[in-house]
Amino acid sequence: MTETTEKKKRTQIPRQKMPEQDPKVRAKNFDEVPFGYTPELAKLEASRCLQCKKPTCIEGCPVSIDIPAFLDLILQGDFLGAARKLKEMNSLPAVCGRVCPQEDQCEKVCILGKKGEPVAIGRLERFAADYEMAHGEFIMPPKAPPTGKNVAVVGAGPAGLTLAGDLIKKGHQVTIFEALHKTGGVLVYGIPEFRLPKAIVQAEVDYLEKTGVEVRTNMVIGKIYTVDELMANGYNAVFLGTGAGLPTFMNIPGENFNGVYSANEYLTRSNLMKAYLFPRYDTPIAKGKKVAVLGGGNVAMDSARTALRLGADDVYIVYRRSKKELPARIEEVHHAEEEGVQFHFLTLPVEILGNEDGWVCGMKCQRMELGEPDESGRRRPIPVPGSEFTLEVDMVVVAIGTGANPLVPSTTPDLQTNKWGYIVADPETGTTSKKGVYAGGDIVTGSATVILAMGAGRKAAEAIHKYLTE
Amino acid sequence: MFPIVEAKPLAAAVKQFKIAAPEIAKKRKPGQFIVLRINEEGERIPLTMADADPEAGTITLIFQELGKSTEQLGKLKAGDMISDLIGPLGVPTHIEKFGTVVCVGGGIGIAPVYPIAKAMREAGNTVLSIIGARTKNLLILEEEMAKVSHSLKVSTDDGSYGYHGFVSDILQNVIDEGTTINLVVAIGPVPMMRVICNVTRNQKIKTVVSLNPIMVDATGMCGACRVTVGGRTRFVCVDGPEFDGHEVNFVELVKRQRAYLDQEKLSLETFRHQGGACLGGKS
């Protein structure tokens, strides 16, 4: 068979679906939605890759994974080899395989996508990483000789974990300081178990610890130590990956009624504190029957799907633009729809109503229509006069975004921040206005994706390494 | 893990713990608090630090057994471990020489008032303290407060000890006597703080209160502890815990504190049903 006919044959294989829980069943449990590929499905899907001479997928990946190489290893049946290939560039493949917006990155530029459907790179990444977790042994990655330099990493989220993994390989001593009692940042407090099992995150962190990274939880930098104190305590460089954790509210009347949650609080109670297992776990959570989630991003979808799982009869996504403008991943919107989440598009909440005990009992809304595009490029919603109506709800989750947490900047006087409180840092190196201090991830860019934060961690690791060795 | 170095009862259902936390002990200032989690299943509970010993590397916590978590905590003994301890959190009390400072502590609120009274005295203030409890055997830290105050007045709601009445009545008397007061610091149950603020409002005496709403992460991330102060939403964990008492919306605060009453009851009943023996247990 010639190479051309072989290629043609490959392109005729359809993109393989990932088996997943039935929507009706999964809407009532917190187990992960997709089961993942079997080895057979993985090989079949990997065989669709054309092994392009100029692979565009690598350019589409913020951390430049050698995608054709790991797909080929899967095709050969060398699943452990595939996982190790991934880990050359990505210290959290099991996480990225689950939560990366692949459709906007590697898969978007896959040549197969031009005529049909792209290779399911994300699903295969997940497969290889999971396979290694289940079958692999720990192998110490190659490490440079010790440099005698110490790096403090503030925040154990995607940016900090990636940076730590890179710097330890380069021979530096790395300590991660995490404010919460668990590592993972948004991966553990924000993303629900049904989308990213916590055991997966823990396994990735365990791997880092085995490579020599020191992890100190319960350390609120800015309080227990300032950045200056860290440097005085012998750290030669500091990386700030503190995230954008400050919840924002609508600033409409009634937002302090009981039953109004920020998405951060709602998801933290449920995910990090396991309130869905109350009273076995001690943290309670309100179980609304009619729940409105305000916003249209992934966090809103996560909140809505969590509300269903906690026993809500009706869950509404209330979004002021139309379905077309929803910022959430298509797959997440699709999953939410399948599970029964109802969408109120072109709807703006104007007031939350409460009863005498201070509990939510309704929400006044206004209908919107779309006008000209605004600075974000999305069509601006305009209120329709006289269209006010009341939505009957007993709980509201505000998922309209987050801001910069001021704890570190406010205690680091010579660290430059912008008007929104984000740290000013060079996007290519993470260099801040303060010598030896680097920053990356959401605390620099505002809320973005896990993989972009990891990319920022990677670039900052390069820059810190240079700074420490030159 | 954080070992409990000393555990002793102070009053009925009130315990004092010294916990080894050297880094926090060095940093802690009056007015600041910690968050602890007893074990893997535990919730994150905020507790004010009553004291700290930087040399010994310990912090002092005083708490009342009110619900499941505090009751479970109260069962721990010296040598036991607490899974997580996070701190110091919150903005420290603003300490300077004001002149005459009245420190008012109600019930368990005497514990956080104590380090503030001590620091106010060290800063050169005349410290007049008023402490009270529902009944005599709930009164704590009387000796300690006496030591750091220029004068100490005590009340009990039921008249079993000291003045028969409320701390607010004593404060009213002190004001009526014509004492010049530059600042009042009042910490205790919300109704008490509210009444104290009503007493001082007419006299325009600046009054600082320390709030303890429900918190989760306590680092400004979740917004559970939001409270309306002067018409603005503030987060107690990072903006507080202390605020101008004349500006606090106490009505809203009370309602928000009651948000989980049913679950708290269920949690406590379940715990007691299991004989309180599920410490660190996995089901």
Side-chain angles (χ1 to χ4, degrees):
Chain A
M1 201 165 12
T2 65
E3 202 184 321
T4 336
T5 49
E6 165 70 21
K7 267 193 182 171
K8 196 160 183 202
K9 212 178 124 199
R10 284 189 182 193
T11 55
Q12 280 161 359
I13 304 168
R15 179 174 160 114
Q16 297 302 301
K17 286 208 171 76
M18 189 158 46
E20 60 183 31
Q21 280 196 72
D22 180 80
K24 282 204 186 69
V25 176
R26 73 180 194 236
K28 299 288 165 207
N29 69 50
F30 278 84
D31 299 338
E32 194 173 14
V33 170
F35 296 119
Y37 279 153
T38 59
E40 293 71 33
L41 280 174
K43 278 187 181 174
L44 187 59
E45 181 61 33
S47 75
R48 299 179 63 228
C49 174
L50 299 177
Q51 295 291 323
C52 303
K53 290 221 166 59
K54 285 186 184 165
T56 45
C57 50
I58 301 182
E59 287 162 37
C61 173
V63 295
S64 308
I65 291 172
D66 189 347
I67 293 164
F70 101 82
L71 293 183
D72 190 52
L73 287 162
I74 290 180
L75 183 58
Q76 309 299 328
D78 183 2
F79 304 140
L80 290 176
R84 274 161 211 148
K85 179 55 73 180
L86 281 163
K87 281 204 168 151
E88 283 174 12
M89 299 312 282
N90 180 355
S91 43
L92 310 168
V95 172
C96 289
R98 286 171 165 83
V99 303
C100 264
Q102 293 101 6
E103 70 270 22
D104 287 326
Q105 295 170 343
C106 51
E107 294 182 16
K108 188 182 187 176
V109 289
C110 172
I111 201 85
L112 281 187
K114 293 227 158 56
K115 280 188 181 160
E117 286 195 284
V119 177
I121 300 166
R123 294 170 185 178
L124 289 166
E125 179 181 25
R126 171 190 157 146
F127 167 79
D130 285 3
Y131 188 91
E132 191 200 24
M133 235 172 243
H135 301 98
E137 280 172 30
F138 171 75
I139 295 174
M140 182 64 92
K143 260 170 97 169
T147 60
K149 304 286 186 185
N150 298 308
V151 181
V153 179
V154 184
L161 293 175
T162 302
L163 173 117
D166 282 8
L167 288 177
I168 198 89
K169 282 190 255 181
K170 293 183 193 295
H172 308 295
Q173 187 57 47
V174 183
T175 307
I176 301 180
F177 294 92
E178 167 56 44
L180 291 172
H181 56 261
K182 271 215 166 61
T183 46
V186 71
L187 306 174
V188 296
Y189 77 74
I191 302 177
E193 184 77 14
F194 54 82
R195 204 148 74 76
L196 178 64
K198 301 298 155 265
I200 300 278
V201 182
Q202 193 55 51
E204 307 265 36
V205 175
D206 289 347
Y207 171 85
L208 273 187
E209 284 198 84
K210 281 185 204 152
T211 65
V213 173
E214 186 195 2
V215 175
R216 298 198 65 196
T217 50
N218 299 320
M219 299 292 281
V220 183
I221 299 304
K223 285 288 178 187
I224 186 80
Y225 298 117
T226 62
V227 170
D228 287 316
E229 284 168 333
L230 285 177
M231 299 189 95
N233 290 353
Y235 289 98
N236 305 97
V238 176
F239 175 76
L240 303 172
T242 50
L246 201 70
T248 42
F249 289 90
M250 300 276 295
N251 292 318
I252 56 175
E255 269 184 310
N256 288 350
F257 283 126
N258 290 331
V260 182
Y261 283 112
S262 73
N264 267 1
E265 180 185 356
Y266 192 61
L267 293 174
T268 299
R269 281 181 184 273
S270 183
N271 299 328
L272 178 73
M273 305 311 295
K274 302 226 181 298
Y276 64 91
L277 297 175
F278 180 87
R280 184 149 80 76
Y281 280 71
D282 293 334
T283 305
I285 194 164
K287 295 182 177 178
K289 283 288 155 201
K290 288 176 176 294
V291 180
V293 177
L294 317 185
N298 289 327
V299 175
M301 300 306 140
D302 286 343
S303 303
R305 296 170 71 195
T306 296
L308 275 182
R309 284 159 174 79
L310 286 170
D313 296 327
D314 292 290
V315 179
Y316 313 112
I317 292 271
V318 178
Y319 182 56
R320 64 195 185 129
R321 291 182 160 101
S322 75
K323 183 168 183 178
K324 229 176 83 191
E325 288 85 21
L326 276 178
R329 288 181 66 193
I330 298 163
E331 189 181 337
E332 303 312 328
V333 177
H334 177 64
H335 276 149
E337 276 175 335
E338 278 185 335
E339 289 166 12
V341 172
Q342 302 159 55
F343 288 79
H344 285 278
F345 292 114
L346 293 166
T347 305
L348 179 78
V350 290
E351 183 181 356
I352 295 165
L353 309 170
N355 63 21
E356 275 184 5
D357 298 330
W359 276 90
V360 174
C361 63
M363 187 168 73
K364 265 196 206 160
C365 301
Q366 183 157 36
R367 302 259 184 238
M368 309 294 279
E369 57 190 12
L370 292 180
E372 294 301 307
D374 60 15
E375 63 272 20
S376 75
R378 295 174 300 179
R379 293 176 67 194
R380 185 192 300 272
I382 303 165
V384 177
S387 65
E388 291 84 358
F389 68 102
T390 300
L391 197 61
E392 195 195 315
V393 290
D394 57 5
M395 212 177 100
V396 176
V397 180
V398 185
I400 56 166
T402 52
N405 190 312
L407 261 181
V408 169
S410 69
T411 52
T412 317
D414 45 350
L415 187 68
Q416 200 191 336
T417 52
N418 67 17
K419 64 174 169 175
W420 300 284
Y422 294 108
I423 297 172
V424 176
D426 184 325
E428 288 311 310
T429 61
T431 309
T432 69
S433 58
K434 192 172 166 68
K435 191 169 158 49
V437 177
Y438 296 76
D442 287 1
I443 189 61
V444 171
T445 58
S447 297
T449 61
V450 169
I451 191 74
L452 284 175
M454 291 176 62
R458 161 127 320 135
K459 288 174 185 169
E462 283 293 332
I464 290 175
H465 177 64
K466 256 188 163 175
Y467 170 74
L468 293 177
T469 52
E470 278 177 9
Chain B
M1 295 292 248
F2 296 81
I4 298 168
V5 181
E6 183 190 297
K8 65 174 188 187
L10 276 195
V14 178
K15 299 257 162 71
Q16 175 176 299
F17 277 14
K18 280 189 180 162
I19 299 177
E23 291 168 292
I24 301 175
K26 267 193 205 121
K27 272 279 170 164
R28 154 270 173 202
K29 293 202 171 95
Q32 289 190 299
F33 65 96
I34 54 97
V35 161
L36 68 79
R37 194 178 71 132
I38 299 174
N39 58 18
E40 182 54 33
E41 290 82 18
E43 58 187 332
R44 295 168 64 97
I45 54 172
L47 292 171
T48 317
M49 282 178 275
D51 212 342
D53 183 339
E55 268 84 61
T58 58
I59 58 168
T60 304
L61 304 177
I62 295 172
F63 60 94
Q64 190 167 13
E65 297 176 18
L66 279 175
K68 192 235 159 155
S69 293
T70 42
E71 205 164 283
Q72 185 179 10
L73 188 63
K75 289 191 188 301
L76 299 183
K77 298 177 290 291
D80 287 341
M81 296 279 185
I82 287 170
S83 184
D84 302 286
L85 194 67
I86 301 109
L89 299 170
V91 181
T93 309
H94 176 67
I95 305 282
E96 64 168 65
K97 190 172 175 185
F98 295 98
T100 298
V101 178
V102 176
C103 291
V104 187
I108 195 73
I110 302 168
V113 154
Y114 167 65
I116 297 171
K118 197 167 147 187
M120 287 293 183
R121 171 132 190 191
E122 281 162 10
N125 291 288
T126 301
V127 175
L128 314 177
S129 294
I130 305 168
I131 60 172
R134 266 191 291 126
T135 183
K136 188 185 176 198
N137 66 7
L138 282 173
L139 191 77
I140 57 167
L141 300 181
E142 187 185 359
E143 259 177 55
E144 288 83 350
M145 284 298 289
K147 230 181 262 173
V148 300
S149 310
H150 291 90
S151 89
L152 176 71
K153 292 186 162 70
V154 181
S155 74
T156 49
D157 297 3
D158 64 358
S160 52
Y161 185 67
Y163 176 85
H164 186 175
F166 302 113
V167 284
S168 49
D169 301 333
I170 302 184
L171 177 64
Q172 187 66 62
N173 292 342
V174 172
I175 292 170
D176 291 345
E177 283 162 13
T179 314
T180 308
I181 301 171
N182 302 96
L183 178 74
V184 171
V185 179
I187 310 180
V190 175
M192 179 214 103
M193 293 193 283
R194 201 175 157 194
V195 174
I196 292 287
C197 290
N198 287 339
V199 169
T200 57
R201 184 173 282 116
N202 294 338
Q203 318 288 326
K204 296 201 168 71
I205 302 169
K206 186 166 166 65
T207 304
V208 169
V209 294
S210 178
L211 308 181
N212 61 333
I214 293 168
M215 289 183 186
V216 186
D217 73 292
T219 63
M221 190 263 277
C222 82
C225 63
R226 57 197 194 273
V227 52
T228 305
V229 182
R232 272 176 69 201
T233 292
R234 309 294 300 273
F235 292 173
V236 173
C237 68
V238 286
D239 299 326
E242 291 169 9
F243 294 97
D244 181 340
H246 295 151
E247 301 225 303
V248 172
N249 184 337
F250 287 110
V251 177
E252 180 187 275
L253 178 64
V254 167
K255 286 179 179 167
R256 286 188 66 82
Q257 278 182 331
R258 297 168 59 88
Y260 297 97
L261 276 190
D262 291 346
Q263 285 102 321
E264 283 163 14
K265 217 176 125 204
L266 171 68
S267 194
L268 184 59
E269 279 167 6
T270 313
F271 178 64
R272 286 183 176 162
H273 182 70
Q274 293 163 343
C278 67
L279 236 189
K282 306 267 185 289
S283 44

